[in-house]
Amino acid sequence: MDTSTSQKWDSAVRGYDLMNGVGPERRWAPWKRRLFSGMDGKVLFMAVGTGQDIQFFPPGRDITAIDISEKMLERARPRAAAYDGRLELRHLDVHDLDYPEATFDQVFTSCTFCSVPDPVNGLRVLRRVLKPGGTIGMFEHTGSRCFPFNLMLNLMTPLTRCLGPELNRDTPANVRQAGYIDVRVEPVYLDVVKVIHAVAPA
Amino acid sequence: MERRLYFLVGDLLSNVGVGALVGLVVVSLVAETWPPVLGMVAGMLVGDLVALPAAVALSVPFGAMEIMLPVMTTGMVSGMAVGMLAAMGVVQTGQSAAVGAIAGLLVLAATYGLNAHLRARV
């Protein structure tokens, strides 16, 4: 377990729902609901946080949701208990996933790979636990290629890194580097907020 | 394009409001004796310093990147415009707020247009 990252997110739990629960979640609700509507089979949801995304999960699914922060998971438990389906919460670091190879049919993430310290390695671990041909669906914010947004995101990243996320990552490139195929990117807002679909090779 | 009234109004008020606020702050700092280029650069820096905390606060009710990026750009553009005009001695306090508000409106329109363009390419 990466204790420094775990502690960083433990300490972020207090203001997390306030900062993200109203504006961002309401704004992104239609896209998240659409992405998660494709959940099927045995699903791994990475970095469930305080469980704000559980409201967008379709009912009746078999989902394992992990997070590196125990305090975030404490907040997520009532939301998980209210889910109409099978939803197991586990305190796990993506780098230490203890599932056998090819366990899951699908992996989903939501604003996660801005914060994973070693994103390419984390994506490789997820690829290992995905069945061959299994899919990953990601709702992520990334850096931008458009001026002046790229300048702003680059300038803000040293500050935001202390709190959690990096704002200038190229997550689609990381997905390709981690060995996924059929990588498809769907913009949600500018070239910054996006949905990424990819497939674990057979 | 965003079609929900709550977010449309939030985007509009955030950019126009921050633009006007930046205009008022910058016009109070930049003197007519300054070279216009210096006023523009100082206005840009002050504009972003004012816009950053405003963008963080406004992102709570209205959304994260959809507020942060245009509002920060509004701070930069309105600060540059008002800083240059203030150094040239052609804007007073009330006018600076109007110039900043118009800059915010133009930035918002530009980001909406760019967003529609990028989404249409896929």
Side-chain angles (χ1 to χ4, degrees):
Chain A
M1 178 76 69
D2 177 352
T3 51
S4 68
T5 303
S6 176
Q7 286 168 358
K8 184 161 74 173
W9 288 105
D10 278 350
S11 61
V13 74
R14 189 173 293 174
Y16 190 83
D17 279 351
L18 172 68
M19 284 302 292
N20 298 290
V22 184
E25 285 299 325
R26 282 185 63 187
R27 191 130 204 175
W28 293 336
W31 287 274
K32 287 188 175 186
R33 196 169 278 120
R34 186 157 65 89
L35 173 64
F36 301 149
S37 70
M39 285 179 167
D40 195 20
K42 196 165 172 53
V43 173
L44 175 65
F45 188 87
M46 190 192 148
V48 70
T50 60
Q52 288 178 346
D53 287 323
I54 294 171
Q55 62 184 311
F56 306 126
F57 293 176
R61 302 303 199 269
D62 178 5
I63 303 165
T64 303
I66 66 168
D67 202 277
I68 195 169
S69 163
E70 182 58 44
K71 289 192 175 171
M72 289 274 183
L73 287 173
E74 279 173 24
R75 295 277 179 100
R77 282 197 180 95
R79 290 169 171 149
Y83 174 65
D84 180 16
R86 187 193 161 278
L87 176 52
E88 180 194 18
L89 298 182
R90 287 198 65 195
H91 182 212
L92 271 177
D93 182 344
V94 66
H95 301 296
D96 303 330
L97 280 189
D98 53 2
Y99 297 101
E101 281 185 27
T103 300
F104 296 98
D105 297 290
Q106 294 181 327
V107 171
F108 286 87
T109 71
S110 176
C111 299
T112 301
F113 275 90
C114 52
S115 309
V116 175
D118 184 351
V120 174
N121 188 40
L123 285 159
R124 284 192 182 123
V125 173
L126 294 178
R127 184 163 65 85
R128 182 184 67 76
V129 299
L130 263 175
K131 292 175 181 172
T135 58
I136 184 168
M138 311 169 77
F139 184 94
E140 299 285 341
H141 62 84
T142 67
S144 174
R145 291 181 181 168
C146 304
F147 181 84
F149 308 125
N150 50 0
L151 176 68
M152 288 172 192
L153 294 169
N154 286 334
L155 288 174
M156 284 195 286
T157 290
L159 297 174
T160 59
R161 188 184 290 137
C162 303
L163 304 170
E166 296 189 8
L167 302 180
N168 60 355
R169 286 192 176 173
D170 188 350
T171 301
N174 291 339
V175 171
R176 290 187 184 94
Q177 201 180 332
Y180 291 84
I181 57 173
D182 296 339
V183 180
R184 189 160 51 85
V185 179
E186 186 184 353
V188 172
Y189 180 68
L190 298 172
D191 62 342
V192 175
V193 184
K194 55 192 67 165
V195 172
I196 304 164
H197 305 272
V199 177
Chain B
M1 186 182 140
E2 182 59 65
R3 291 201 171 104
R4 291 166 290 180
L5 186 62
Y6 173 80
F7 291 114
L8 289 170
V9 171
D11 289 350
L12 186 65
L13 291 178
S14 299
N15 284 278
V16 168
V18 169
L21 177 65
V22 166
L24 290 171
V25 172
V26 169
V27 82
S28 70
L29 295 174
V30 175
E32 283 186 35
T33 53
W34 291 19
V37 172
L38 181 61
M40 194 172 74
V41 172
M44 182 182 75
L45 295 174
V46 170
D48 266 341
L49 284 176
V50 172
L52 180 59
V56 171
L58 289 163
S59 72
V60 173
F62 297 125
M65 295 298 173
E66 294 85 349
I67 287 291
M68 293 279 286
L69 293 174
V71 165
M72 291 287 290
T73 309
T74 289
M76 191 172 76
V77 172
S78 64
M80 287 169 72
V82 173
M84 187 179 69
L85 293 172
M88 292 163 67
V90 295
V91 287
Q92 304 304 316
T93 304
Q95 293 165 316
S96 70
V99 169
I102 291 166
L105 197 60
L106 293 175
V107 167
L108 182 63
T111 52
Y112 270 40
L114 180 61
N115 189 41
H117 172 70
L118 291 171
R119 286 174 51 78
R121 285 200 316 190
V122 177

